[in-house]
Amino acid sequence: PETNGIAGHEGAGIVVALGQGTENRWNIGDRAGVKWVASTCGECEFCLNGTDELHCPKQLNSGFTTPGTFQEYCLADSRYTSRIPDGVTDEEAGPIMCGGVTAYK
């Protein structure tokens, strides 16, 4: 996949549509954060051992190997999103979506 010139990770915004299987996790209008990891294969040793999916060799990353969050709307795998609580601004929440992964990797 290519980014199509769209950089960005550490996204924050409002859920405007739901994909299949996400109805129990998200509602339209929820505030969500989009993380650096966009997706993993779910089938390799790293994904299956339950602790190392960040080492998945087929991992896709927002703004690096798939279009990022610097756009009006973006798609996100619900496994790599977080609920943003009321009272936390997008500007405060966005950097938290990446900070730990960046330091970890």
Side-chain angles (χ1 to χ4, degrees):
E2 297 181 16
T3 65
N4 296 322
I6 303 169
H9 59 287
E10 305 176 342
I14 298 172
V15 176
V16 297
L18 299 172
Q20 185 177 3
T22 62
E23 301 84 6
N24 293 326
R25 178 177 170 100
W26 292 104
N27 294 306
I28 303 297
D30 285 345
R31 293 184 61 232
V34 178
K35 300 177 183 176
W36 163 246
V37 176
S39 69
T40 59
C41 76
E43 299 175 358
C44 69
E45 175 186 353
F46 297 114
C47 288
L48 295 176
N49 73 18
T51 60
D52 292 327
E53 67 183 345
L54 292 179
H55 296 289
C56 174
K58 295 182 180 176
Q59 179 183 146
L60 297 178
N61 302 102
S62 299
F64 185 66
T65 52
T66 193
T69 59
F70 293 167
Q71 53 185 325
E72 187 173 358
Y73 298 98
C74 71
L75 297 176
D77 184 322
S78 66
R79 296 176 299 165
Y80 303 105
T81 56
S82 293
R83 190 171 311 282
I84 299 174
D86 291 336
V88 177
T89 67
D90 290 350
E91 294 81 7
E92 293 169 326
I96 296 169
M97 297 303 117
C98 177
V101 174
T102 303
Y104 176 75
K105 289 193 106 177

